[in-house]
């Protein structure tokens, strides 16, 4: 088989952009992947300048140095147009008096995205742990420096320490649940469950919390509901997280209503509140880890912004659906749908 055919096939099939420039910086050749990633404004790339092919000042600078020197060692740079990121391997080739440059461009947008998520995640976790830890340290130091003499102060400070320690351990529990869900170590084991029982029992667990805050918490269930196909424990977690939010973000005197019904082969559960609501622009983001509409307010209420991220993962694991309707100052309805049996 001819070498040219092999080389041509490689250039055509590789998932890396390849573009070659002559000694004057005019394009000689580009492979299909390059043309797909950087479509020329008109025609092909042949004869076009480096900047016409790739709009990057950073790349242009490097290429100009190579063209001026007519040589040098190969170089690796990264370029970005704001949304996409490419790693560019620039290789000069010299053949007697002739000279050209081959550029290999690899799309690293996804790697960059994951890198950013990881970095933000570590920053968020550290920040969320530092706040309660600083309080625990501050209060225990005060006690050790003599604050223990007054029993009332002692009790009050210990309570604060206990509250912050609880918060830290909740944060770690939530992080572990999320990481297990994301790495699929926590599998969803679906079996027929009674949705009415799930709703009633989780709501009962919140009656005291609602009463203490002066919120009316009620349940509306139809006479008969088919079984749902789900993981009882995980769905209980969904209910707990939604109810916790509904009560937390509803001022005293408000109402929280939970209902379930059957809809197109699904069991639909609605958790409705008359609380503060969510601005439209934030609705698409509240399921992201650590996202809170009002950071200071949520944190004061003990929230870290992980509850809905967990809800989203569990419902996705059930191949179910989530829906949110909300109006600031009026209230919110969080609905989830999971398959009914039969
Ligand atoms: N029922 C609701 N009413 C108004 N805002 C809500 C409601 N549910 C969630 N939100 C908003 O969405 C954000 C994210 O909710 P999520 O449950 O993920 O986090 P959190 O309640 O702040 O903390 P955590 O659940 O980890 O304790 C909240 O901070 C709040 O701003
Ligand atoms: Mg929450």
């Amino acid at each position: 088989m001819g070498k040219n055919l092999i080389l041509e096939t490689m250039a055509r099939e590789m998932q890396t952009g390849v573009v070659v420039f002559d000694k004057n910086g005019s394009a000689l050749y580009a492979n299909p992947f390059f043309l797909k990633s950087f479509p020329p404004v008109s025609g092909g790339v042949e004869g076009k300048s480096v900047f016409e092919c790739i709009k990057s000042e950073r790349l242009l600078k490097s290429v100009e140095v190579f063209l001026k020197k007519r040589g040098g060692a190969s170089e690796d740079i990264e370029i970005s147009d704001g949304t996409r990121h490419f790693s560019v391997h620039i290789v000069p080739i010299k053949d007697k008096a002739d000279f050209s440059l081959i550029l290999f461009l690899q799309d690293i947008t996804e790697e960059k995205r994951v890198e950013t998520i990881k970095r933000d995640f570590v920053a968020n976790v550290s920040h969320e742990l530092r706040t309660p830890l600083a309080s625990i340290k501050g209060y225990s130091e005060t006690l050790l420096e003599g604050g223990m003499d007054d029993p009332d102060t002692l009790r009050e400070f210990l309570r604060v320490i206990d509250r912050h320690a609880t918060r830290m351990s909740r944060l770690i529990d939530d992080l572990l649940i999320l990481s297990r869900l994301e790495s699929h170590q926590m599998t969803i084991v679906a079996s027929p469950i009674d949705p009415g029982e799930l709703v009633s029992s989780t709501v009962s667990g919140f009656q005291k919390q609602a009463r203490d805050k002066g919120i009316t918490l009620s349940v509306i269930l139809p006479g008969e509901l088919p079984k749902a196909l789900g993981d009882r424990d995980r769905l209980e977690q969904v209910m707990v997280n939604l109810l916790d939010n509904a009560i937390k973000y509803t001022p005293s005197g408000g109402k929280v209503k939970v209902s379930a019904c059957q809809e197109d082969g699904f069991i639909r559960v609605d958790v409705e509140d008359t609380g503060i609501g969510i601005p439209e622009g934030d609705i698409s983001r509240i399921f992201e880890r650590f996202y809170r509409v009002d950071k200071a307010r949520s944190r004061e209420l003990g929230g870290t912004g992980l509850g809905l991220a967990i809800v989203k993962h569990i419902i996705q694991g059930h191949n179910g659906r989530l829906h949110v309707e909300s109006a600031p100052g009026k209230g919110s309805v969080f609905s989830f749908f999971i398959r009914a049996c039969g």
Side-chain angles (χ1 to χ4, degrees):
M1 188 167 292
K3 249 191 197 152
N4 273 352
L5 181 61
I6 295 174
L7 291 175
E8 259 172 45
T9 312
M10 279 168 65
R12 189 179 64 230
E13 298 298 326
M14 67 199 282
Q15 296 302 299
T16 300
V18 179
V19 58
V20 187
F21 295 97
D22 68 10
K23 60 176 183 288
N24 303 313
S26 298
L28 293 171
Y29 167 82
N31 75 341
F33 194 83
F34 179 87
L35 295 171
K36 202 173 82 189
S37 310
F38 298 90
V41 181
S42 61
V45 291
E46 286 80 7
K48 294 210 164 89
S49 73
V50 174
F51 199 71
E52 276 176 297
C53 294
I54 309 163
K55 294 250 166 322
S56 160
E57 301 277 354
R58 169 78 189 85
L59 179 72
L60 185 64
K61 245 189 232 155
S62 281
V63 167
E64 273 173 349
V65 174
F66 275 108
L67 294 176
K68 210 159 146 197
K69 275 204 297 198
R70 298 260 161 111
S74 53
E75 189 188 357
D76 289 291
I77 61 166
E78 277 184 19
I79 59 168
S80 164
D81 61 5
T83 46
R84 296 180 309 163
H85 298 268
F86 284 88
S87 124
V88 191
H89 185 50
I90 310 170
V91 183
I93 32 178
K94 227 176 155 136
D95 186 19
K96 295 184 192 114
D98 209 5
F99 172 79
S100 38
L101 269 183
I102 311 188
L103 271 49
F104 297 89
L105 295 101
Q106 212 153 9
D107 192 336
I108 51 163
T109 312
E110 184 57 18
E111 278 105 306
K112 284 272 171 199
R113 197 182 66 85
V114 172
E115 210 177 276
T116 313
I117 291 175
K118 270 196 202 152
R119 210 179 26 238
D120 289 354
F121 182 72
V122 172
N124 275 321
V125 172
S126 319
H127 181 78
E128 292 301 330
L129 286 174
R130 199 164 51 202
T131 318
L133 201 54
S135 294
I136 291 175
K137 194 151 174 49
Y139 281 95
S140 47
E141 269 170 13
T142 315
L143 288 179
L144 288 170
E145 280 160 13
M148 280 197 292
D149 307 340
D150 174 22
D152 286 344
T153 315
L154 178 61
R155 184 162 297 116
E156 189 197 323
F157 281 20
L158 284 176
R159 253 194 217 118
V160 178
I161 291 173
D162 183 58
R163 200 175 66 234
H164 286 293
T166 307
R167 192 193 154 95
M168 281 175 73
S169 82
R170 235 206 70 198
L171 169 66
I172 289 164
D173 287 347
D174 280 355
L175 283 172
L176 283 175
I177 292 175
L178 254 186
S179 113
R180 285 196 199 119
L181 283 167
E182 283 177 356
S183 60
H184 302 288
Q185 282 172 30
M186 192 187 267
T187 42
I188 306 277
V189 189
S191 57
I193 57 157
D194 178 352
E197 185 277 327
L198 171 76
V199 167
S200 321
S201 71
T202 37
V203 168
S204 313
F206 277 89
Q207 285 296 357
K208 185 182 174 323
Q209 197 175 320
R211 219 173 19 247
D212 289 350
K213 209 182 158 183
I215 288 172
T216 321
L217 175 56
S218 60
V219 182
I220 297 175
L221 290 171
E224 230 168 81
L225 262 183
K227 296 229 163 181
L229 208 53
D231 185 321
R232 174 76 175 64
D233 291 349
R234 303 280 86 82
L235 291 174
E236 185 173 321
Q237 174 100 58
V238 167
M239 286 296 302
V240 165
N241 290 7
L242 294 180
L243 276 164
D244 180 62
N245 283 350
I247 293 171
K248 203 157 65 173
Y249 301 112
T250 299
S252 153
K255 289 192 181 83
V256 174
K257 195 172 81 189
V258 186
S259 54
C261 63
Q262 186 181 2
E263 204 176 288
D264 305 329
F266 283 85
I267 297 292
R268 170 187 180 143
V269 178
D270 292 318
V271 179
E272 188 176 345
D273 65 59
T274 59
I276 59 172
I278 305 157
E280 200 181 334
D282 291 298
I283 291 185
S284 62
R285 302 207 54 193
I286 52 175
F287 293 95
E288 290 172 20
R289 304 188 278 204
F290 296 110
Y291 191 81
R292 284 159 293 192
V293 176
D294 181 340
K295 260 193 189 294
R297 181 179 194 156
S298 269
R299 194 173 293 138
E300 221 168 85
L301 296 167
T304 40
L306 294 175
L308 289 179
I310 293 174
V311 165
K312 188 181 93 179
H313 272 287
I314 295 176
I315 297 301
Q316 269 175 356
H318 279 83
N319 294 319
R321 209 156 50 80
L322 270 162
H323 183 75
V324 186
E325 297 251 341
S326 190
K330 293 215 170 82
S332 316
V333 188
F334 281 77
S335 316
F336 67 87
F337 300 74
I338 42 165
R339 226 159 244 303
C341 281

